[in-house]
Amino acid sequence: DAGVIQSPRHEVTEMGQEVTLRCKPISGHDYLFWYRQTMMRGLELLIYFNNNVPIDDSGMPEDRFSAKMPNASFSTLKIQPSEPRDSAVYFCASSLQSGIGERWGYTFGSGTRLTVV
Amino acid sequence: SQQGEEDPQALSIQEGENATMNCSYKTSINNLQWYRQNSGRGLVHLILIRSNEREKHSGRLRVTLDTSKKSSSLLITASRAADTASYFCATLLLNFGNEKLTFGTGTRLTIIP
């Protein structure tokens, strides 16, 4: 199992440009999560999907952020237009639901380090 | 917003010693999880303890949970240089079909060979 795969690993872009981050969850996992990690705010949940449907996007900071999951094996997080304060490490994670309805531990990807200059 | 506060923020110990990290949280939870993050990498799930459990073991890891005090501790016994990493507690709350896994601020653990 290759785990959760994120691309690119690093992204440097100029302010105002569109940025697209990609994630391939573990096959069979029915939940997918996008987190952002910064020194100031730690790890923040941005949005999560259940069976490709967005369930909670209350953590998405602004309308400049959007996420999609067109199928069970692929998700994108898009920032348009990007700003320097969006610089962070963005993580994707996936998980299974346990038999009693609770979530097993999440499996995280290696992250995308985004720098907006 | 961060649910958990971890203590200490940083910890340095000699290899072979035990390391204890504490986590406090604010709301009711369904379970509490601990994760490890090596520098520049993603988080790795270590152990999960449910709200009706008080203690759990996994290899060299021991986790306790006190829901009355809203606190948890992670003990790593016989530490190794490879245990050097940041450790995060995370609380899961299920609420009417919605869920939220909220991470604490983390403890940076350094094992001195």
Side-chain angles (χ1 to χ4, degrees), chain A residues 31-49:
Chain A
Y31 281 72
L32 183 140
F33 307 84
W34 283 100
Y35 279 83
R36 178 172 68 175
Q37 186 177 36
T38 61
M39 288 295 293
M40 291 297 294
R41 300 176 66 89
L43 277 152
E44 303 172 281
L45 175 66
L46 300 178
I47 185 172
Y48 80 91
F49 296 82

Side-chain angles (χ1 to χ4, degrees), chain B residues 3 6 9 22 27 29 39 42 44 50 54-55 59 62-64 68 74 76 78 82 85 93 102 105-107 110-111:
Chain B
Q3 154 87 302
E6 289 172 68
Q9 289 189 336
N22 302 296
T27 69
I29 62 172
S39 180
V44 175
R50 294 195 167 85
R54 291 298 166 257
E55 187 171 314
R62 173 178 169 255
V63 172
T64 62
S68 67
L74 172 69
I76 303 174
L93 178 62
T102 307
T105 51
T107 293
T110 302
I111 308 300

Side-chain angles (χ1 to χ4, degrees), chain A residues 23-115:
Chain A
C23 175
K24 177 179 168 57
I26 290 176
S27 177
H29 280 195
D30 49 359
Y31 281 72
L32 183 140
F33 307 84
W34 283 100
Y35 279 83
R36 178 172 68 175
Q37 186 177 36
T38 61
M39 288 295 293
M40 291 297 294
R41 300 176 66 89
L43 277 152
E44 303 172 281
L45 175 66
L46 300 178
I47 185 172
Y48 80 91
F49 296 82
N50 177 17
N51 291 319
N52 313 338
V53 176
I55 303 300
D56 184 354
D57 65 354
S58 60
M60 296 285 263
E62 301 171 34
D63 291 345
R64 298 183 296 105
F65 286 70
S66 63
K68 295 181 180 179
M69 192 164 187
N71 57 62
S73 60
F74 183 65
S75 177
T76 60
L77 179 67
K78 186 175 293 187
I79 308 172
Q80 165 63 19
S82 58
E83 297 182 3
R85 60 188 166 132
D86 302 330
S87 297
V89 181
Y90 291 81
F91 288 103
C92 174
S94 67
S95 76
L96 279 170
Q97 183 169 348
S98 75
I100 58 172
E102 288 189 3
R103 187 73 47 247
W104 292 125
Y106 295 10
T107 302
F108 280 77
S110 297
T112 294
R113 181 174 296 276
L114 174 65
T115 303

